[in-house]
Amino acid sequence: MSFVKEFKEFAVKGNMVDMAVGIIIGGAFGTIVSSLVDDIFMPVIGLLLGGVDFTNLFIVLSNPDGVAVPSLAVAQAAGVATLNIGLFINAVVKFAIVAFALFMLVKGINMLRREQKEEEKPAEPAAPPREEVLLSEIRDILKAKN
């Protein structure tokens, strides 16, 4: 089998296409989760905690030039070494949301699989027709006489 033909067969398989669609949707889902966390959750949480802006929650590790750093953007532009605690908290919240969504997805798929297995269970074999039972009995009686 030629390399091109083998690659074509691999690329067109259903699993490969499903995986590609999943990756694309996952990327879009990641963007939505980022926006949800950055634009909705964290401002509300910051407001509840007394007006904390998590994107600007950082610790200056090294500032050799003594530059004033009122925000993370200014610190990064000045090349000041910072420990970005707020960005880490945002990342943890994003991870928790994605993990929960995936958990719910897997839970739903497992529930559907269980239902499908229950439906696929073979029914008890039907009893043989009455004539067949009678013929079997007659056969057994004849065998016993010989």
Side-chain angles (χ1 to χ4, degrees), residues 21-102:
V21 169
I23 290 170
I24 292 167
I25 289 176
F29 183 69
T31 305
I32 291 170
V33 168
S34 291
S35 176
L36 180 69
V37 170
D38 295 339
D39 302 331
I40 296 175
F41 286 166
M42 297 316 280
V44 171
I45 292 171
L47 183 65
L48 293 174
L49 294 176
V52 177
D53 179 10
F54 282 94
T55 57
N56 280 320
L57 186 59
F58 64 97
I59 297 172
V60 176
L61 297 176
S62 172
N63 188 357
D65 297 332
V67 177
V69 284
S71 71
L72 182 59
V74 171
Q76 289 175 338
V80 175
T82 59
L83 186 64
N84 304 325
I85 298 168
L87 296 178
F88 176 73
I89 292 171
N90 282 355
V92 169
V93 172
K94 288 176 194 176
F95 172 78
I97 292 171
V98 170
F100 180 74
L102 288 176

Side-chain angles (χ1 to χ4, degrees), residues 94-135:
K94 288 176 194 176
F95 172 78
I97 292 171
V98 170
F100 180 74
L102 288 176
F103 169 74
M104 295 305 292
L105 177 70
V106 169
K107 185 175 178 174
I109 289 172
N110 287 341
M111 184 179 69
L112 291 174
R113 284 184 181 162
R114 273 186 248 119
E115 287 176 3
Q116 186 179 24
K117 282 183 181 179
E118 289 174 4
E119 290 174 4
E120 289 179 359
K121 284 183 182 177
E124 292 293 322
R130 188 168 184 268
E131 296 84 13
E132 203 173 302
V133 173
L134 290 174
L135 288 171

